[in-house]
Amino acid sequence: MKSQNRKTFFMFLMAFLVAFFIVSFVEVLRSSFRTAGAPEIQMASAVSSPDAVKVPLSFSDLAEKVKPAVVNISTTKTFKGGSPFGGQFGGQFGDDFFERFFGDLPKREFKQRSLGSGFIISSDGYIFTNSHVVEKADKILVKVSDDKEYEAKVIGTDSKTDIALIKIKPNSSLPVVEIGDSDKVRVGEWVIAIGNPFGLEQTVTAGIVSAKGRVIGAGPYDNFIQTDASINPGNSGGPLFGMDGRVIGINTAIVAQGQGIGFAIPINMAKSILADLKTKGKVTRGWLGISIQDINEDMAKNLNNKSKNGAIVTDVFKGDPADLAGIKVEDIITEINGKSVKDTHDLLLKIATLHVGEKISVKVIRDGKEMLFYVTVTERKDKQEIVSAKGGKYSFGISAQEITPEISRQLNIPHEYGVIINDIENGSPADDVGLQPQDIILQVNRVRITSIKQYAKEISKAAEKKNVTLLVQRGRSKFFINLRLQ
């Protein structure tokens, strides 16, 4: 019995040793295939999430879906000027040379043609594009996806946001885009741009949203979407689509010095002014009657404010809505209708979307305490009072206006005295001597100008004498200039 047990024990022991040897041998073989000293790398498991962003394999289906609603726009503008000789002689000697020998010469007409893009927002022919695409155009032609061309009419424009609404009369119902929500767009999302770059129709480019809320100095309401989808001359006015096929922006600007930096106007901005463009042809914006500026850290401490957020009131215009509501200089505006105010630019954007007659809540911090005011919005008038010197006895060709505190702040110019030129009539004496919009007239025939009414009085006297000498400021330079009526 003992001999039998001993035999069984040795059999189990042998089996164990054989198994141990086999396992050790296999492990040695595995180790021999590994790089010496390299750690074993474990593969991370993929995270499955409904919000995970996937790189699209193709944009073809999306492009085919949205392209029919994108249009090409060509415009023709007419300019007058130059001698009929032109060419080599005109360039070498100039028009004055020929006028001395041949007298007054007829002005030539020049035709300037340009290209842009747009997109159809209603089946009966309403189209969004950029204001600068159709500005001062004598003729606007729109080519739709089936290659039919229609002459378009400008319904409304807004130069401050560079948005225009035009209209064609199609023979049949047109395909339209779906309008998205630009507020919900996130940085890093894929987008495609479709347009007419360099005259190459229906060009599709793709990229991502690089940034939001960009301020590039294009106007007081800058709030651009930045994208690296290629945008080139001719793309202006075309749509920027999200991956759901909805328009999130209007392509409008590029950085000439670099590639991969383009800008689009958020579509929500266009939606907010559509009704005004359609019914009035222009945009009516809200006005509170205040001047504001950003808050730095030192100002925040001195004003007993916990952060730099908000905008500080630097001036309150008497009799305007903010004044009537009780808002004062040094108040810090932190909220409009319950929405927080980040800085002055943010506040301007919020005020611009308000409707005339709307009663809004304005939260301010005064001496460290929060206060709430209710303000009734009035209409913003960019040209409060204008005197035109075009035609009649005012024939110098100048249109001027008062320098309001708002104009002074936006253009960074003094407003103690003088009036600002807002328009010059083509071919007028003012045009001939090179006066420009935004020039400031400080004196008329040595009389210092302190108001638009005084300017009107003095320019009227000068017109009767058919001669005037103006002291003009342009930027930091001041100069005298003489205008003479024929």
Side-chain angles (χ1 to χ4, degrees), residues 198 216 231-233 252-263:
F198 304 108
I216 62 174
I231 297 175
N232 293 292
T252 189
I254 58 176
V255 174
Q257 295 87 351
Q259 295 181 345
I261 304 178
F263 300 95

Side-chain angles (χ1 to χ4, degrees), residues 5 36 45 78 81 186 189 203 207 211 220-221 239 253 370 423 454 462 469:
N5 290 340
S45 58
T78 303
R186 299 171 64 196
E189 289 186 5
T203 296
Y221 306 115
E370 287 189 347
D423 195 19
Q454 185 186 22
T469 298

Side-chain angles (χ1 to χ4, degrees), residues 225-241:
I225 297 171
Q226 182 183 329
T227 177
D228 65 354
S230 294
I231 297 175
N232 293 292
N235 272 109
S236 292
L240 186 70
F241 289 100

